[in-house]
Amino acid sequence: MGIADQFKDKAKDLTGQAQDKTQERQDRQDQGQNRDRARDAAQQGRDRAQNASQRAQDEASERFDR
């Protein structure tokens, strides 16, 4: 095997490693975004429940006042 072939093989290896690192980085970023989306959805659910509870209390107060 000539030296040129060795350089080609090394270049292929390094390219593969770079692609793997890029994919790993993208996967971690996607996981973080999914975690953020889940956190936001949970907060929205809590906010909606709190708003519904407040509306129910307000309606009950109005009915009691009548």
Side-chain angles (χ1 to χ4, degrees):
M1 180 186 299
I3 206 151
D5 291 333
Q6 290 177 354
F7 279 118
K8 285 180 188 177
D9 290 343
K10 184 65 174 176
K12 285 181 185 177
D13 289 345
L14 291 174
T15 300
Q17 290 174 9
Q19 289 172 343
D20 291 346
K21 293 275 186 200
T22 300
Q23 186 61 49
E24 289 172 8
R25 194 173 300 120
Q26 184 64 45
D27 290 346
R28 280 195 306 274
Q29 185 177 7
D30 290 347
Q31 288 173 353
Q33 289 173 347
N34 289 339
R35 222 179 357 258
D36 291 344
R37 281 190 210 109
R39 192 177 300 127
D40 291 346
Q43 184 61 50
Q44 287 176 355
R46 285 191 294 273
D47 291 346
R48 285 186 192 130
Q50 187 176 12
N51 290 340
S53 173
Q54 186 63 48
R55 275 194 308 273
Q57 288 175 0
D58 292 347
E59 288 176 12
S61 292
E62 286 179 19
R63 288 185 186 151
F64 183 74
D65 290 343
R66 288 185 191 164

